[in-house]
Amino acid sequence: MGSREWDSSADAETGCVRRRVARFEDGSIEQTEDWIASEVPIAMSYNGEAHVVMLATPMDLQDFALGFSLSEAIIASSSELETIRIDQRLEGIEIGMQIPQPRAEAIAARQRNLSGRSSCGLCGTQQLEDVLRHPPTLTAAIAITADAMHRALNSLAAAQPLNLRTGATHAAAWSDIDGSLQLVREDVGRHNALDKLVGAMTRQAIDVQRGFLILTSRASYEMVQKSATVGIGLIAAISAPTALAIHLAESCGVTLIGFARDDGHVVYTHPQRIVEQDT
């Protein structure tokens, strides 16, 4: 059998490993060790049928499995995810899930069997309809102040231990309406981090109508699609959105904010949900 393609000694709680490096700085060379973010193939299957392989950080995998299943509309609620089995393989990790048979048949009908990348979870989708899946329009969403959003943003960096160690990961975070961070999940892939957050929020019964989402990445179409699918109505991204993401957010009733940083932010859709100052 072949050698391992990933290091199983990677701590599932830290998501990183130590590697020897040559550090060049100020004209000198130092032989040292550095923390490197783990990135491994994670295969997901439903009812024994392979569905997708994602490259992801091997931590918070229970959250990942549940969040992916919800944000991709494979299941409608956590109660439909009957079992989750996580197995270590030579080449990576396999997550086997059991769902109601009608749901499994719906997956087959969509004919979606994709190989995901850490940068794009839609790569390999076979049908245009699968890419442009339109979530239900959100009819209710909370309003927040700009001050609350920036309070959450200012506390986010310290809540990313994996990125502080490696400098290589994205985060998806959930804040309450007052700007207090409630949950953070990290991954080398921005959409993986979001799926992990969705799974964690669902497992902890956090109300998506009582807070807002923060992304340390750009707001792509898929990020808006996943968020709207699970009922998140307000997204603040540190980087820019794409035109297709703005179009989807507008049509789905999602408030989309980009360039959310210390010195300001840009509201692209449904600005009525942002109040500029605390009252």
Side-chain angles (χ1 to χ4, degrees):
M1 300 183 73
S3 61
R4 288 189 181 276
E5 298 296 329
W6 66 285
D7 188 347
S8 62
S9 67
D11 190 337
E13 294 183 358
T14 62
C16 54
V17 294
R18 297 282 284 181
R19 290 288 183 268
R20 294 288 299 175
V21 299
R23 189 182 305 279
F24 292 73
E25 190 172 359
D26 296 329
S28 63
I29 304 174
E30 179 187 8
Q31 300 294 328
T32 184
E33 286 192 341
D34 202 0
W35 287 105
I36 309 297
S38 299
E39 182 178 28
V40 305
I42 298 179
M44 295 190 183
S45 63
Y46 293 92
N47 294 19
E49 296 294 328
H51 178 63
V52 64
V53 177
M54 307 297 291
L55 291 175
T57 303
M59 58 191 298
D60 301 312
L61 296 182
Q62 294 274 345
D63 293 338
F64 189 23
L66 176 57
F68 178 87
S69 301
L70 289 167
S71 73
E72 290 293 311
I74 292 169
I75 57 175
S77 69
S78 59
S79 63
E80 292 185 333
L81 188 52
E82 298 167 358
T83 59
I84 302 175
R85 187 194 71 254
I86 300 175
D87 295 318
Q88 179 180 308
R89 305 296 186 191
L90 286 176
E91 300 82 5
I93 296 171
E94 181 178 334
I95 302 178
M97 289 166 278
Q98 194 72 26
I99 59 177
Q101 189 57 32
R103 293 290 188 189
E105 292 170 359
I107 297 175
R110 286 162 59 180
Q111 295 183 335
R112 188 176 187 193
N113 187 357
L114 57 95
S115 177
R117 299 292 186 265
S118 57
S119 61
C120 175
L122 291 175
C123 302
T125 304
Q126 294 179 345
Q127 302 292 333
L128 287 174
E129 292 82 357
D130 291 332
V131 176
L132 301 179
R133 174 174 52 83
H134 198 288
T137 299
L138 303 180
T139 57
I142 52 89
I144 66 168
T145 66
D147 289 341
M149 178 177 64
H150 287 285
R151 277 195 294 273
L153 286 164
N154 290 338
S155 60
L156 182 56
Q160 300 176 67
L162 183 56
N163 192 58
L164 288 171
R165 272 187 168 182
T166 68
T169 57
H170 287 294
W174 185 255
S175 171
D176 65 17
I177 59 176
D178 295 322
S180 176
L181 291 182
Q182 304 298 299
L183 276 175
V184 180
R185 290 293 182 268
E186 297 182 87
D187 198 277
V188 291
R190 63 186 188 276
H191 55 281
N192 299 335
L194 176 55
D195 283 336
K196 290 177 178 181
L197 179 69
V198 168
M201 289 174 61
T202 303
R203 287 157 62 88
Q204 297 185 33
I206 292 177
D207 186 355
V208 295
Q209 295 300 319
R210 299 300 303 163
F212 59 97
L213 171 66
I214 299 176
L215 302 173
T216 63
S217 63
R218 71 181 185 273
S220 63
Y221 177 91
E222 183 192 17
M223 301 296 274
V224 175
Q225 182 187 63
K226 284 176 172 289
S227 301
T229 297
V230 298
I232 294 173
L234 200 155
I235 303 169
I238 290 176
S239 295
T242 65
L244 194 56
I246 294 171
H247 173 76
L248 180 64
E250 181 65 42
S251 62
C252 283
V254 173
T255 296
L256 181 59
I257 301 165
F259 296 106
R261 301 171 185 175
D262 290 342
D263 56 350
H265 58 275
V266 179
V267 184
Y268 292 89
T269 60
H270 302 284
Q272 71 276 8
R273 299 195 185 111
I274 305 297
V275 180
E276 288 304 314
Q277 298 293 331
D278 285 333
T279 57

